[in-house]
Amino acid sequence: MGTLRGKLLPPALAIVFSALLCGIALVISGANPLTAFGAMLTQVGEGTTLVDVVNSTGIYYIAALAVAIGFQMNLFNIGVEGQYRVAAVTAAVFGGSVTLPPGLHALAILVVAAVAGALWAAVPAILKVTRGVNEVISTIMMNGIALGLAAYLIRADVFGELRGNNIRTPEIPSTGWVPGISFGSSGTVFGLVLLAALLGVGYWIMMNRTRFGFELRASGESSTAAAAGGISAKKMVLIAMLLSGAIAGLVAMPEILGRDHTYNLNFPGGIGFSGIAIALLGRNHPGGIALGALLWAFLDKSGLALDNVGVPREIVTIMQGAIVLSVVVAYEVVRRVELAAEQRRVGRQTGTAEPVGGAA
Amino acid sequence: MSTTSTNPSTAPLTVPPAKRKRKLPGWSTAMIGVAGAIVLLSTTSYLTGFPQLTSTGTWQTALRLALPILLAGLGGLWAERAGVVNIGLEGMMIMGTWGAAWAGYQWGPWAALVSAAVFGALGGLLHAIATVTFGVNHIVSGVAINLLGAGLTKYLSTLIFYPLSNNPRESPAVPKFDTYSAAGLSDWLGDLEAQQRVGISDVAGILRGITTGVSPLTMIAIVLVPATFLVLWRTRFGLRLRSCGENPVAAESLGVNVYLYKYTAVIISGALAGIGGAALVLNPGQPGYLEGQTGGRGYIGLAAMIFGNWRPGGLLGGAALFGYVDGLQLRSGGKTVLALFYGAVLLLAVIVVVQLVRKKWFSAAFAIVGAAILYFVYFSLDELPSELTAYAPHLVTLVVLAVASQRLRAPAADGVIYRRGQGD
């Protein structure tokens, strides 16, 4: 089987399958799936939707990159969710309380966010390396604590201030803003979406063209084999987790520096979990992740149109969940089919009988 | 990721320590633990002047809040004993809350219970199909089920609850179970508690809290703990199920249908998580289904199970602790929770003495430092911020994992992808 087909077929199958599934759900609930999907497609041309999709893609892309770095090392960083939240609060508080020249201010905020994310990821990393604590459980716990910590830090008597019904951190002065690319009435693309693209390029270079990337992947494939080659698995776990946390720290920055200029109660949650899904969809490849992020953003933003045709827009979330599950199943099935084909091929060449375990 | 056979969720395990001769049977150790906890709480409440630590109200609330955690944890126990890591408990629990509300407002609490179990079991079935049949990484499937569970319930509530309750995030009110109290006992214990005598009143308060206003669901959940133990550890079925979690290839060689056992375990796991969701909806303090109601309790259930070393008894202890801290916070606020720090200092003091006697200087020093920090927190703060106390279970879990992860022992093949016939 061609490798390209092996790579592209599973996600395509998964998307078609999920769309079918949601179509059936729509029919059962008495709606016309064609109208619904049509409304979603036409929505892209309306108002600010296209720009929203681009912005959202950038944000999801950063989150998925953070998850993907962990995956390369066979680490499950479920904690991206908590890391970007803690980083957002810290960066917003920092940005709102210092005065620095334009440019430098924004840069300093970005650095603070990355450091805060890395520090939050350092806890599970250190626990894993020194005490052998499973990172899945510890990052889940850190997510909970992050929620509490963020809620505490923006209390009016700590760092926050009350504005109307909303509690938020002090506004970051305009020196710390990152200007966007305006498209008039169609909205403004966040300037930091470019940062997402840069991170993607950096990720590709790091993974494929540096010694560190090789060591990371080798260690993720087999830590014992890597250890025999002189690579310390513990060191790799630590670095991968810190790097993942640092990138996760940047997830909320496009929104905070480009539009909100503050961390408030309406801060969007769940991006970390979407990041996991997108990294899986894109198989940790920077290009694949970009497509996955685009799909996610499209579903999110054009799903808003569904309310107009009388369909609850939450069907989009079902679709996203179905895509993740079916894409991993599809990858596995394709892998088994290819393995069986390979076994048959080798069997024919060597003249032995049909090998066992040939069926997928 | 799913292409590699190594699984990140299997933490590096150490070889279990050489078997010491057990002096006491398990139940008596548990009794000593419970007695110790009561003495500790009663001393703390006496020394800090917070009778709420052992009051009826606190314990009643604690029991109600511990139920969902306990049930989710039991769900996790069933799945992981069969070797399937179930991060999807949260999603199955969410499906359970929706199922409970949907059947509950129409046909009453018993229907709610059954429907919640069915909805949870459907989530479990999905997890089983993905992980057992298709060999998908268990964590990946769990994360997907959490996404799916949340999305599905949001969709269904908008579709079905919105016309009835005018709120897409809420169901119509769900009728609750009648509650039962041990009539004469309850009054007598109430008198004892009111006398404010050291020790006796504390025990009376705790006992009254867990015997007053008990719903059938509470009884079912409590009975499920020994039932789980008996089924998993004292029957042929349980032995086979656990063998699938320890060494599926060996189990297969003995003729056990590993797929079937894993499917059964994960479906039961989902049903239990679903009932845990029902426990939230049927809690007398709640009107019915509410979006985001589970608030990560599925994860806490998982933590309670790890806390309890993959054993039902330990799980009960973990759920009780988490429920208790939650209940204390809800009933009497951050000040009282801070008193628990004092209790923890007392506990650490005892540990220090024990470790000194056993000449374990390192752990004694570690405990002294911990006690000093906790005492400093207790001394310097007036009140713990409520935002943070809500996440105390998370913090406790992290500390326990950091301190005791070497002693915890997960089933040997937990999270390992198994395929029939791979062992030859």
Side-chain angles (χ1 to χ4, degrees):
Chain A
M1 281 209 186
T3 43
L4 193 66
R5 203 168 101 196
K7 271 180 189 161
L8 292 182
L9 190 65
L13 275 180
I15 292 167
V16 170
F17 174 74
S18 312
L20 265 178
L21 201 72
C22 290
I24 294 171
L26 286 175
V27 169
I28 292 174
S29 60
N32 184 350
L34 290 180
T35 338
F37 291 137
M40 281 178 72
L41 282 177
T42 48
Q43 174 72 17
V44 176
E46 313 254 325
T48 61
T49 309
L50 187 59
V51 167
D52 288 344
V53 168
V54 172
N55 284 338
S56 202
T57 305
I59 292 167
Y60 282 139
Y61 191 61
I62 302 178
L65 279 185
V67 177
I69 288 180
F71 277 158
Q72 296 278 11
M73 177 61 221
N74 236 342
L75 275 175
F76 253 101
N77 186 5
I78 298 200
V80 169
E81 189 69 27
Q83 286 146 16
Y84 86 82
R85 187 176 290 269
V86 167
V89 181
T90 320
V93 168
F94 169 80
S97 56
V98 297
T99 32
L100 283 170
L104 193 63
H105 194 173
L107 196 66
I109 295 174
L110 288 177
V111 170
V112 166
V115 169
L119 284 179
W120 200 252
V123 178
I126 291 171
L127 283 179
K128 183 173 178 76
V129 172
T130 61
R131 309 291 306 170
V133 176
N134 181 352
E135 80 280 2
V136 173
I137 300 296
S138 57
T139 49
I140 287 176
M141 296 302 128
M142 291 300 282
N143 283 347
I145 300 171
L147 270 177
L149 187 68
Y152 172 71
L153 288 179
I154 63 165
R155 254 168 48 158
D157 55 345
V158 187
F159 289 117
E161 55 185 27
L162 202 62
R163 281 290 166 94
N165 279 334
N166 207 338
I167 305 175
R168 58 171 219 187
T169 58
E171 187 165 72
I172 299 172
S174 61
T175 48
W177 300 0
V178 174
I181 306 155
S182 177
F183 286 92
S185 64
S186 316
T188 306
V189 171
F190 297 144
L192 286 176
V193 167
L194 291 176
L195 175 73
L198 278 180
L199 284 174
V201 174
Y203 169 82
W204 186 84
I205 293 174
M206 186 188 80
M207 280 302 160
N208 297 304
R209 289 288 180 271
T210 68
R211 186 193 166 111
F212 170 75
F214 170 74
E215 291 184 348
L216 193 69
R217 281 184 293 135
S219 205
E221 288 283 335
S222 161
S223 64
T224 43
I231 304 167
S232 157
K234 284 189 174 180
K235 197 179 111 193
M236 284 294 143
V237 166
L238 203 60
I239 297 178
M241 200 71 185
L242 289 182
L243 211 55
S244 176
I247 294 182
L250 298 174
V251 165
M253 290 302 110
E255 277 189 327
I256 288 189
L257 299 187
R259 186 188 63 205
D260 297 346
H261 312 308
T262 171
Y263 174 100
N264 58 36
L265 282 183
N266 300 330
F267 189 73
I271 299 176
F273 286 110
S274 302
I276 298 175
I278 295 165
L280 287 169
L281 200 62
R283 299 222 94 178
N284 305 333
H285 186 279
I289 295 175
L291 289 179
L294 188 65
L295 175 68
W296 234 246
F298 161 74
L299 288 175
D300 260 10
K301 297 301 171 190
S302 56
L304 299 176
L306 289 177
D307 285 344
N308 302 335
V309 290
V311 174
R313 74 173 113 135
E314 283 77 16
I315 189 86
V316 165
T317 326
I318 301 183
M319 193 152 163
Q320 290 175 338
I323 289 177
V324 194
L325 206 55
S326 43
V327 85
V328 283
V329 168
Y331 278 133
E332 183 62 24
V333 169
V334 167
R335 189 183 71 85
R336 284 183 189 178
V337 169
E338 282 185 349
L339 193 69
E342 182 72 13
Q343 279 176 343
R344 266 195 298 277
R345 197 178 58 78
V346 172
R348 266 198 305 277
Q349 277 176 357
T350 54
T352 49
E354 190 82 350
V356 277
Chain B
M1 268 231 327
S2 48
T3 57
T4 51
S5 57
T6 49
N7 192 296
S9 64
T10 43
L13 287 172
T14 49
V15 182
K19 217 174 180 181
R20 274 178 302 166
K21 199 151 201 188
R22 229 173 166 177
K23 291 166 203 149
L24 293 165
W27 60 267
S28 61
T29 334
M31 293 311 284
I32 292 171
V34 170
I38 291 177
V39 169
L40 185 70
L41 279 182
S42 135
T43 319
T44 311
S45 107
Y46 175 67
L47 288 177
T48 54
F50 284 110
Q52 294 96 319
L53 284 180
T54 54
S55 74
T56 304
T58 303
W59 278 84
Q60 212 170 351
T61 320
L63 185 62
R64 277 178 198 155
L65 291 173
L67 282 189
I69 299 174
L70 177 69
L71 286 160
L74 278 176
L77 184 74
W78 273 83
E80 302 222 352
R81 276 293 167 188
V84 178
V85 173
N86 195 351
I87 296 275
L89 283 174
E90 176 78 8
M92 298 171 199
M93 206 169 176
I94 295 175
M95 288 174 67
T97 54
W98 193 88
W102 174 72
Y105 86 87
Q106 305 181 73
W107 305 295
W110 284 106
L113 205 60
V114 174
S115 154
V118 170
F119 269 80
L122 282 178
L125 178 66
L126 195 61
H127 192 50
I129 292 174
T131 57
V132 180
T133 303
F134 288 107
V136 168
N137 183 301
H138 299 181
I139 312 277
V140 170
S141 167
V143 169
I145 284 174
N146 289 341
L147 285 176
L148 210 54
L152 194 66
T153 49
K154 275 185 197 168
Y155 176 71
L156 288 175
S157 333
T158 317
L159 206 64
I160 293 174
F161 291 157
Y162 183 46
L164 298 162
S165 63
N166 286 323
N167 184 348
R169 293 158 191 272
E170 218 179 299
S171 74
V174 175
K176 313 291 181 220
F177 279 117
D178 295 331
T179 55
Y180 304 91
S181 303
L185 187 68
S186 181
D187 297 338
W188 178 66
L189 288 172
D191 288 342
L192 264 185
E193 192 192 357
Q195 290 171 8
Q196 292 291 345
R197 276 194 250 162
V198 179
I200 298 173
S201 299
D202 295 317
V203 176
I206 294 171
L207 280 180
R208 186 162 172 247
I210 55 180
T211 53
T212 310
V214 178
S215 78
L217 181 60
T218 315
M219 297 179 208
I220 292 173
I222 301 289
V223 167
L224 276 172
V225 178
T228 295
F229 173 76
L230 288 177
V231 170
L232 287 185
W233 272 271
R234 290 287 181 269
T235 66
R236 205 175 298 178
F237 168 79
L239 178 68
R240 286 177 181 164
L241 192 144
R242 283 185 300 122
S243 74
C244 298
E246 299 288 348
N247 191 341
V249 177
E252 180 194 303
S253 75
L254 294 174
V256 174
N257 185 347
V258 178
Y259 285 4
L260 182 67
Y261 276 88
K262 286 197 181 220
Y263 260 89
T264 316
V266 179
I267 290 171
I268 291 178
S269 163
L272 286 168
I275 298 177
L280 284 170
V281 172
L282 297 175
N283 184 336
Q286 296 269 352
Y289 165 86
L290 210 64
E291 194 181 305
Q293 189 173 32
T294 54
R297 282 192 180 78
Y299 297 129
I300 293 296
L302 204 67
M305 175 202 71
I306 294 171
F307 200 89
N309 199 10
W310 288 266
R311 309 269 306 182
L315 160 64
L316 184 64
L321 177 68
F322 294 158
Y324 176 69
V325 176
D326 246 10
L328 199 60
Q329 145 78 18
L330 207 69
R331 291 289 292 212
S332 28
K335 268 185 191 170
T336 337
V337 178
L338 200 57
L340 279 185
F341 275 65
Y342 194 85
V345 172
L346 288 181
L347 182 66
L348 280 173
V350 175
I351 291 176
V352 168
V353 172
V354 171
Q355 299 291 13
L356 284 179
V357 169
R358 292 163 82 189
K359 297 193 176 164
K360 294 203 170 161
W361 312 117
F362 184 75
S363 36
F366 198 72
I368 288 177
V369 172
I373 294 173
L374 285 179
Y375 190 75
F376 177 74
V377 172
Y378 171 74
F379 191 73
S380 55
L381 290 179
D382 273 344
E383 185 177 350
L384 275 184
S386 59
E387 290 88 353
L388 291 180
T389 42
Y391 296 98
H394 301 73
L395 201 60
V396 171
T397 308
L398 274 183
V399 172
V400 168
L401 283 175
V403 174
S405 67
Q406 313 285 327
R407 294 193 186 182
L408 300 178
R409 192 196 158 276
D414 201 8
V416 175
I417 291 157
Y418 159 82
R419 280 192 73 190
R420 184 175 284 156
Q422 68 177 5
D424 49 28

